[in-house]
Amino acid sequence: MILTVTLNPSMDSIYFAETFILGEMNRCSNPIKAVGGKGINAGRTAAILGSDVTVMSVLAGTNGELIRNALEQEAFKSVFIPIPGESRNAVTIMDREKNQTEIVELGPVITVETAQKVLANVIDFSFTQQKRPIIALCGSANTKNERLYQDYLQQLYEQLGAKVKILTDISGQQLKNVLQGTIKPYFIKPNIHEFAELLSLSIVNKQEVIRQLTHPILQDIPFILVSCGGDGAVAKYQGRIFDVTIPAINSINPTGSGDATVGGIAFALDQGLSIEETLRYGMACGMSNALEQAVGYVSVENVEELKNNIVLQEIK
């Protein structure tokens, strides 16, 4: 059982254009429209693979109703928490050179009251399950509380017990504050640029990532995955370090690939697979998403084929 939490879902519009020139008229075909948000994309991926998934999200205004209607057609269950304001729009423009331009609204404000309401829903939902779900806290939140996710981790561990697996896919100050707290998540997934920002260092390749995996701020995190684009990833699991190499693909739209990776990881953990298979599923889902025009979608056939071409080298 997997529960994903998205505090800032969006209505995504993805445009594919021959060229995109600032300050000029840019014509393109009608967009692909889909509901986005890191937790929703991760949940969709895990559900496609076969996990029992519930997606919890806050919804506001007219856009919130559009998102609700779309999510009710998906393969997962949904829990909706209505709040004031207006759920955000996110626009992505991809040109023929695969340059990606994004325009993303801030979204509705997550007040103290809303944050507590979400937390109460997560706890109540977890207690209704036969066993504790894997909980994935994903994405940004339009909040003044830079310790929101740190607070969530503390309270979730206190209420649900230390054995609950909490995955986080967050970045910036929220992630830094989480890692400076006394309660650490089970899993984090920064990309190499976010990893460098987190440690306030210049890190440009996998060798430098590997050297920094013993950094004090990363202690006591069981599972770390640092994605490195076309170079694959570096992972640390229970003290074991893996260099993950992926095959070259002809990417169509990489938006949401990191979210799909988290969905693949959550699925594999939910199934109780080995760390090797877990890494293969995560990376294969990220690549499968990049082969689709839509965001947060994977093909089971592509995932199965791609994961067999992923090479893991354990670094002793």
Side-chain angles (χ1 to χ4, degrees):
M1 173 67 215
I2 298 168
L3 172 66
T4 73
V5 181
T6 307
L7 297 178
N8 210 357
S10 60
M11 182 56 70
D12 292 352
S13 298
I14 306 162
Y15 293 86
F16 294 88
E18 283 296 301
T19 59
F20 179 72
I21 304 172
L22 288 174
E24 295 191 12
M25 170 74 75
N26 293 273
R27 296 188 181 277
C28 54
S29 57
N30 292 336
I32 294 172
K33 287 186 175 287
V35 174
K38 284 184 175 296
I40 292 169
N41 293 336
R44 182 183 294 121
T45 296
I48 290 171
L49 293 178
S51 279
D52 179 6
V53 177
T54 296
V55 168
M56 185 179 294
S57 52
V58 296
L59 301 179
T62 303
N63 257 8
E65 284 304 307
L66 293 173
I67 291 171
R68 174 195 292 269
N69 292 335
L71 291 183
E72 286 177 343
Q73 310 305 314
E74 297 260 12
F76 46 69
K77 306 179 189 74
S78 292
V79 175
F80 306 114
I81 301 172
I83 64 171
E86 188 68 44
S87 293
R88 62 180 177 158
N89 291 292
V91 176
T92 299
I93 303 168
M94 294 278 294
D95 67 21
R96 65 185 173 191
E97 300 298 325
K98 297 185 180 176
N99 296 310
Q100 185 172 312
T101 303
E102 296 186 45
I103 303 170
V104 181
E105 298 173 4
L106 285 175
V109 174
I110 302 300
T111 63
V112 173
E113 294 75 18
T114 295
Q116 285 301 312
K117 188 174 182 181
V118 171
L119 179 65
N121 272 268
V122 172
I123 293 169
D124 290 346
F125 175 86
S126 299
F127 279 130
T128 65
Q129 306 305 305
Q130 290 185 345
K131 66 175 184 176
R132 296 288 182 262
I134 293 170
I135 300 173
L137 306 176
C138 304
S140 65
N142 185 11
T143 176
K144 293 180 180 179
N145 179 11
E146 293 184 337
R147 298 185 181 277
L148 173 64
Y149 285 112
Q150 184 191 85
D151 295 342
Y152 274 7
L153 277 167
Q154 182 75 41
Q155 295 183 63
L156 288 172
Y157 271 71
E158 288 176 359
Q159 295 292 323
L160 303 179
K163 291 185 178 181
V164 64
K165 284 187 172 68
I166 301 179
L167 319 183
T168 59
D169 187 10
I170 57 179
S171 59
Q173 194 61 47
Q174 290 283 359
L175 177 58
K176 186 170 290 189
N177 287 338
V178 160
L179 300 190
Q180 289 172 345
T182 55
I183 303 300
K184 304 298 176 76
Y186 182 81
F187 170 83
I188 63 172
K189 192 212 67 65
N191 61 37
I192 191 170
H193 306 295
E194 293 165 342
F195 188 73
E197 179 186 359
L198 178 66
L199 303 184
S200 301
L201 295 171
S202 174
I203 299 174
V204 296
N205 58 49
K206 293 164 90 172
Q207 289 70 31
E208 293 173 354
V209 171
I210 291 169
R211 283 197 292 271
Q212 295 302 329
L213 286 175
T214 55
H215 192 284
I217 201 173
L218 302 174
Q219 297 304 305
D220 301 321
I221 303 171
F223 192 176
I224 301 168
L225 179 65
V226 182
S227 55
C228 303
D231 290 331
V234 173
K236 184 179 181 182
Y237 177 76
Q238 304 287 15
R240 301 170 66 192
I241 296 175
F242 296 88
D243 182 351
V244 186
T245 303
I246 61 175
I249 60 171
N250 186 20
S251 173
I252 295 174
N253 181 14
T255 306
S257 288
D259 311 343
T261 296
V262 174
I265 295 288
F267 164 78
L269 292 173
D270 183 44
Q271 301 299 309
L273 302 182
S274 68
I275 181 56
E276 291 84 359
E277 277 295 278
T278 298
L279 290 172
R280 289 190 177 96
Y281 264 108
M283 299 306 294
C285 286
M287 288 186 288
S288 180
N289 175 84
L291 295 173
E292 306 285 338
Q293 286 193 331
V295 176
Y297 286 93
V298 297
S299 157
V300 173
E301 293 77 13
N302 281 343
V303 169
E304 291 298 325
E305 181 178 348
L306 289 165
K307 78 182 184 69
N308 292 327
N309 293 306
I310 293 169
V311 178
L312 303 180
Q313 179 183 0
E314 186 166 359
I315 307 299
K316 300 294 185 181

